[in-house]
């Protein structure tokens, strides 16, 4: 394997490759971002007064952006422009409605043939709906009818462990808390959630290494870091406000380094749309100064190589009577496992590391050199690290690298997982987990006088398996588009139709809602942007961002329909219907969220004085022991954890590794549009990105139609091959389309995350 080497921002020549594909050469942000927002506002809002809502986003008395979990800069109250935040908001605030008349016109069998884009583009759901098998239409029902029907189905299922309570990460802390309470009062710990598809390796791996399952940095650390490593994430698309932090760091002289099989052009240059000088002069700030194009799935090998270099550098320095490059004081005082790590690194050959990572020893030296130049370093990472068969190992290795130089628990340093959905971290904090601790369950039981089930429940993979194998009878989705976001749609779509109950609490129509079970309901809910008024009082909800800041969010827009209910109300109303004799104050909690927060404060010590503390703009920070160098691990130290990278990759050696990514115009399964500006794609999504040499070796040309065939024989047909600066041996395509290629057996056995970024596939000319 020839190594691609660090790419020094070479601007590729601009020639259109084929229709709808022409390399992008501009910066991230800039006029392109403004134009895109102008378009989406024009298309979606038709100059509606609701556009002014943009300026309430991420303001102390406004709503939290539903786009991503990147924190708000504490000191500014000025509007921070974000293209994809604006898209998320306008998509929710659209004047279009999928009202009962819409469903009367379109039977489900017809809607099924619509694209994911078209389904959501029908507009906001405006009334509760029940599917009628005789007519094949969804029909409007009253809330009472819907909730009574759902309660009846839930009662008819004899074993509560046959119902899956799914949560997608936009759900607020308050809604998540009452939702887990409802499910546990019903009798199950089945909590599949989008975290299982996203940062489960973080929740599993970080506690083993440093004793907490969350990132250790705050935004202030970005002002003090000398080096910021962006490993396996694409901030220009998925966390655009992060680019401001990266740019400020870069202007201050910090090094920004990317590790990614794909060149993500948005990570290379950035023009902040709020900077008038850069906008007018068409200037941009270079971001990633070096780019290491690792093979997909090759990060453990790469990081091991870098650590091997560090050990050698350290030894050489010590022999020469100079200070070493490792932080030996930190290692001695704060860690265990160093000797095992050292032995592991000494035993492994450069050959094997180069082969597995796709990068050369020289690249590893280069990276190590940059790392040792930095007194303080932050490692940021995303789905490129987690969504692998070895996702948890990947996470632990990033921590090993930080620990070697004492880069956890000091200013300007630490580990920074970039969370996905805007409250995915908070939902987990609130108890959305299939493996609750005994201590937590006892707190819940004491606070509410219930007897929570102790048996562990299903996560995303095991719940879908239970559905496919007929061991589950019911599914309730608090947001999201579960079946489409998950692997194995060929089997899961059929299996959903055998269920007794499918309930979707959502804002817009999607494919999982069309999987009509014996009883199927769509319950339309308020979005984050919309006013939620109870007894004349605007209800605030709270969210926890990627850096553990908890703050309030108050929707201000007029709701899309008078029939919508908040997520909290839907849960508490269902609880009242399901448990008519319950002594719990469901009604009180549903009409005054302060009461929910009081209970949250009772259950979680870190949320003491919750209602008072969210009054302050910006909210409060949840304590993080590792950031204080207190290690809640069995050894009470941070742990170097070693791993073997030799095993089960035999399959990958004979196949391309498919990495499934998001386009710039999508939010997970929500497809806003068909452009992927920074990757040069316009008007289409049927693309597979591939290295020029790989394509040539296949005897194919740029733009040729190909099929992808997974190692187990699943097929995604008719993509156009697009030559792209991507590591050799790695290819990339968009999800959710590519999810047909995964089986439910393709996952990380430590965390259960599907290996969405390392699917072994072969390529053949389209048939
Ligand atoms: N606009 C927008 N914002 C979003 C989302 C969205 O869909 N749209 N989704 C939200 C959610 S839920 C999430 S989880 C986050 C996701 O945000 P990201 O973590 O940025 O997710 P991806 O788009 O999947 O990008 C993963 C990146 O990892 C790279 N990669 C793939 N395999 C490897 C590998 O083996 N090693 C390395 N080093 N890199 C690799 C890919 O090339 C890609 O650049 O974004 C959130 N924000
Ligand atoms: N191949 C592949 N598959 C992947 C991934 C990948 O990188 N590659 N990424 C995975 C990741 S990281 C994630 S997080 C999952 C995403 O999985 P999900 O979270 O299940 O999916 P989303 O597409 O975010 O959900 C979109 C739906 O949420 C509903 N919705 C929007 N806003 C709200 C709201 O405020 N409240 C409620 N109740 N509903 C709302 C809308 O109806 C919309 O149709 O996909 C995963 N699937
Ligand atoms: Mo995610």
């Amino acid at each position: 394997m020839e190594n691609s080497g660090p790419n020094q921002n070479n601007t590729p020549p601009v020639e259109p490759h084929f229709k709808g594909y022409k390399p992008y050469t501009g910066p991230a942000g800039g006029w392109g971002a403004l134009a895109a927002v102008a378009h989406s506002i024009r298309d979606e809002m038709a100059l509606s007064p609701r556009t002014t809502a943009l300026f309430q986003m991420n303001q102390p008395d406004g709503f939290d952006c539903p786009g991503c979990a990147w924190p708000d800069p504490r000191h500014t109250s000025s509007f921070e422009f974000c293209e994809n935040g604006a898209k998320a908001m306008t998509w929710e605030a659209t004047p279009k409605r999928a009202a009962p008349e819409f469903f009367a016109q379109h039977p489900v069998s017809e809607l099924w043939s619509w694209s994911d884009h078209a389904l959501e583009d029908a507009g906001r759901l405006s009334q509760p709906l029940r599917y009628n098998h005789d007519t094949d239409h969804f029909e409007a029902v009253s809330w009472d009818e819907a909730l009574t029907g759902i309660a009846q189905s839930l009662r008819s299922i004899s074993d509560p462990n046959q119902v899956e309570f799914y949560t997608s990460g936009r759900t607020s802390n308050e809604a998540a808390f009452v939702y887990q309470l409802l499910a546990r009062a019903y009798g199950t710990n089945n909590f599949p959630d989008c975290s299982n598809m996203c940062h489960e390796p973080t929740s599993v791996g970080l506690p083993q290494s440093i004793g907490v399952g969350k990132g250790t940095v705050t935004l202030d650390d970005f002002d003090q870091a000398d080096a910021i490593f962006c490993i396996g994430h694409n901030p220009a698309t998925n966390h655009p406000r992060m680019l401001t932090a990266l740019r400020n760091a870069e202007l201050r002289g910090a090094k920004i380094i990317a590790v990614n099989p794909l060149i993500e052009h948005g990570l290379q240059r950035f023009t902040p749309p709020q900077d008038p000088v850069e906008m007018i002069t068409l200037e941009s700030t270079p971001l990633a100064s070096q780019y290491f194009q690792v093979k997909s799935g090759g990060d453990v090998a790469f990081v091991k190589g870098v650590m091997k270099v560090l050990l050698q550098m350290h030894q050489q320095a010590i022999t020469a009577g100079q200070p070493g490059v490792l932080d030996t004081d930190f290692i001695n005082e704060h860690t265990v496992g160093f000797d095992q790590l050292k032995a592991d690194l000494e035993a492994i050959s450069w050959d094997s590391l180069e082969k597995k990572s796709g990068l050369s020893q020289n690249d590893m030296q280069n990276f190590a050199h940059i790392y040792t130049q930095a007194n303080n370093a932050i490692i940021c990472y995303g789905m490129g690290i987690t969504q692998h068969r070895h996702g948890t190992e990947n996470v632990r290795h990033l921590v090993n690298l930080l620990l070697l130089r004492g880069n956890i628990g000091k200013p300007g340093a630490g580990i920074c997982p970039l969370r996905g959905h805007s409250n995915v971290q908070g939902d987990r904090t609130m108890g959305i987990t299939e493996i609750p601790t005994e201590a937590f369950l006892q707190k819940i039981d004491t606070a509410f006088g219930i007897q929570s089930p102790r048996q562990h429940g299903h996560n995303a993979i095991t719940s879908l398996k239970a559905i496919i194998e007929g061991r589950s009878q019911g599914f309730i989705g608090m947001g999201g588009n579960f079946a489409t976001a998950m692997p194995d749609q060929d089997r899961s779509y059929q299996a959903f139709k055998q269920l007794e109950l499918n309930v979707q609490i959502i804002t817009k129509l999607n494919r999982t809602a069309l999987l009509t079970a014996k009883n199927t309901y769509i319950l339309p809910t308020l979005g984050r942007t919309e006013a939620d008024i109870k007894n004349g009082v605007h209800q605030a909800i709270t969210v926890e961002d990627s850096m553990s800041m908890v703050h309030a969010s108050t929707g201000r827009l007029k709701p899309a329909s008078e029939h919508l209910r908040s997520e909290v109300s839907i849960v508490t109303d269902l609880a009242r219907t399901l448990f008519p004799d319950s002594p719990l104050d469901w009604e009180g909690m549903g009409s005054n969220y302060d009461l929910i927060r009081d209970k949250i404060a009772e259950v979680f010590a870190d949320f003491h004085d919750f209602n008072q503390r969210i009054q302050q703009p910006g909210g409060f920070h949840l304590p993080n022991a590792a950031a204080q160098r207190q290690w809640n691990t069995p050894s009470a130290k941070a742990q170097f954890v070693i791993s073997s990278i030799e095993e089960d990759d035999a399959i990958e050696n004979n196949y391309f590794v498919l990495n499934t990514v998001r386009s710039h115009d999508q939010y997970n399964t929500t497809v806003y549009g068909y452009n992927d500006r920074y990757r040069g794609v316009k008007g289409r999504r049927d693309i597979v990105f591939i290295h020029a040499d790989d394509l040539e070796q296949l005897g194919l040309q740029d733009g040729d139609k190909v099929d992808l065939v997974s190692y187990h024989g699943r097929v995604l047909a008719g993509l156009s091959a697009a030559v792209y600066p991507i590591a050799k041996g790695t290819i990339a395509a968009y999800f959710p389309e590519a999810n047909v290629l995964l089986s439910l057996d393709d996952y990380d056995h430590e965390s259960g995350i599907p290996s969405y970024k390392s699917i072994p596939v072969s390529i053949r000319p389209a048939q």
Side-chain angles (χ1 to χ4, degrees), residues 198 234 238 260 264 296-297 299 383 388 662 666 668 757:
C198 204
N234 182 20
N238 297 320
N260 197 314
E264 300 286 21
S296 203
D299 297 87
M383 301 300 97
H388 286 285
R662 296 156 164 77
Q666 89 182 71
N668 299 338
K757 299 283 192 272

Side-chain angles (χ1 to χ4, degrees), residues 514-532:
L514 296 179
L515 300 173
T516 51
K518 283 185 203 119
N519 297 288
T520 309
Y521 296 87
I522 293 175
L523 304 181
T525 188
L526 290 175
R528 182 82 59 77
T529 55
E530 289 165 321
D532 180 4

Side-chain angles (χ1 to χ4, degrees), residues 276-346:
V277 176
E278 289 201 4
M279 285 295 278
I280 290 164
T281 56
L282 298 178
E283 290 289 310
S284 59
T285 307
L287 291 181
S289 50
Q290 299 223 8
Y291 214 108
F292 294 86
Q293 285 188 269
V294 69
K295 238 164 91 166
S296 203
D299 297 87
V300 165
F302 180 62
V303 169
K304 280 194 175 193
V306 172
M307 293 194 294
K308 200 172 160 83
V309 175
L310 289 177
L311 288 185
Q312 290 174 347
M313 287 172 81
H314 185 71
Q315 203 47 55
Q316 278 159 9
I318 299 293
T319 312
Q322 288 161 357
V325 301
L326 304 183
D327 187 341
T328 39
D329 289 346
F330 177 84
I331 293 174
N332 292 335
E333 191 185 340
H334 287 287
T335 70
V336 293
F338 176 71
D339 292 338
Q340 288 90 323
L341 179 79
K342 191 162 170 255
D344 181 57
L345 295 173
E346 279 163 0

Side-chain angles (χ1 to χ4, degrees), residues 232-251:
H233 69 108
N234 182 20
T237 289
N238 297 320
H239 309 91
R241 287 179 299 117
M242 181 186 187
L243 295 188
T244 309
L246 292 180
R247 171 179 176 264
N248 293 343
E250 160 75 35
L251 291 176

